[in-house]
Amino acid sequence: MKNETTEIDLLELLFFIKKKSKSIIFSMAVALILAIVFLWVEKDEVNINYEVKINSDAPSMIINCDTDTDTAFDCKSNFIEAIIKGNSDRFTIQSDERTKVIKLTWRGKASEKPIADAAIKTIYQKINAWYVQDYQAYKRIIDDNKNNGMNGTELYTKIAFITKLDYSKKNDFIFISKGEVSEKYIKGIFIVLALMMGFILSTSYHLMKRSIVEYSEKKIFKKTQIN
C-alpha cells in the first residue's frame, strides 16, 4: 500500500512538472544565457599552477619533524609555506601528503603569467637562501658548543651529523615545476550546473506556490464548514 502511494505521488509530481514545462524550460534558458555571459566576461581568468617538491631536508625540518609519522610532510611543508607567504600573498597554497608536493595556484588573467613566473623565481631564491642560512645557523651551534655541556648529547650529535657537509654552494634543495595554465571555470561543467540550477529553482518555486495555494484552499474550506 505504501509503495503504491509513493508511486502515485511520484507520478503526480512528474505530471505537475510536465504541466509547468514551459516555465521550467524558460528558467533554464535564462540560466543558460546568464552562464554564457558570465563565462564570456571571465574568459581571460585562469589558474596558473605550480608544484614544489622538497629535494633535501633542512636541519630545522629534521630536528623538528618526526619522520616516522604520517604528518612529517605537513610539518616540513610548513617551513616552505611560511617563506612563500612571506614573499607573496597571491598564491593559494595546498600541501598534498599523498604525492609529497606543495601546490601553488595563482588566480588571475592569462597575461599575468610572466608576473607569476617572476614571483616563483623570487620564492625559489628565497627558499634556497633560507636553506643555506638554516645550515649555517646549526653549524654555528656546533662551533659554539664544542667545549661545553651540550657536547656529547644526542641533540649535539644529531646536529653535528646534519651539518657535516658544506651546503653553502648547493642550490637544488627544492624543485618548482613550470607554471601550467588552466581555465578557471570548466565551461561544460559550469553550463550543466547552470541548467540544473535553473531547473531546480523553477521547479521548487512552482511546488512551493502549489503548496501555498493548497494550504489556503484547505483553510478556506475549513472556515466554510465551521460557518
Side-chain angles (χ1 to χ4, degrees), residues 25-166:
I25 291 171
F26 176 77
S27 298
M28 292 173 68
V30 171
L32 177 61
I33 292 169
L34 290 174
I36 292 172
V37 171
F38 178 82
L39 290 172
W40 182 80
V41 171
E42 297 286 319
K43 65 181 183 297
D44 293 331
E45 294 295 318
V46 297
N47 290 334
I48 307 172
N49 305 301
Y50 303 86
E51 288 188 351
V52 181
K53 293 184 179 179
I54 300 173
N55 292 334
S56 303
D57 292 341
S60 291
M61 294 177 181
I62 296 170
I63 290 170
N64 294 292
C65 302
D66 189 348
T67 56
D68 296 328
T69 63
D70 295 335
T71 59
F73 178 75
D74 285 338
C75 177
K76 294 175 185 178
S77 65
N78 285 336
F79 291 97
I80 304 299
E81 289 177 24
I83 300 170
I84 295 170
K85 290 176 182 176
N87 286 275
S88 176
D89 59 356
R90 286 294 306 273
F91 291 99
T92 301
I93 307 171
Q94 182 182 4
S95 297
D96 191 333
E97 175 69 33
R98 185 179 61 83
T99 58
K100 298 293 186 292
V101 299
I102 303 169
K103 297 179 179 180
L104 307 180
T105 303
W106 176 291
R107 292 183 171 88
K109 297 185 182 297
S111 58
E112 294 178 0
K113 190 175 186 302
I115 301 173
D117 288 341
I120 283 293
K121 184 177 180 181
T122 300
I123 287 169
Y124 178 80
Q125 294 170 346
K126 293 288 184 180
I127 292 173
N128 279 327
W130 173 79
Y131 265 88
V132 173
Q133 291 169 7
D134 195 52
Y135 277 105
Q136 291 174 345
Y138 278 94
K139 183 66 174 173
R140 283 194 296 272
I141 292 174
I142 295 299
D143 294 338
D144 295 342
N145 292 279
K146 284 182 178 179
N147 301 314
N148 62 24
M150 186 180 178
N151 192 348
T153 63
E154 183 180 351
L155 179 60
Y156 181 90
T157 304
K158 192 172 184 178
I159 297 173
F161 177 76
I162 294 168
T163 57
K164 67 179 181 179
L165 299 174
D166 181 14

Side-chain angles (χ1 to χ4, degrees), residues 145-204:
N145 292 279
K146 284 182 178 179
N147 301 314
N148 62 24
M150 186 180 178
N151 192 348
T153 63
E154 183 180 351
L155 179 60
Y156 181 90
T157 304
K158 192 172 184 178
I159 297 173
F161 177 76
I162 294 168
T163 57
K164 67 179 181 179
L165 299 174
D166 181 14
Y167 287 85
S168 60
K169 296 180 181 180
K170 190 177 174 68
N171 61 2
D172 59 346
F173 301 108
I174 62 163
F175 167 79
I176 302 182
S177 66
K178 291 183 179 179
E180 294 184 359
V181 179
S182 62
E183 292 181 346
K184 188 175 181 179
Y185 303 101
I186 301 174
K187 293 183 177 66
I189 295 176
F190 193 85
I191 288 173
V192 170
L193 289 174
L195 290 171
M196 289 175 62
M197 188 64 68
F199 175 82
I200 292 169
L201 290 176
S202 181
T203 305
S204 300

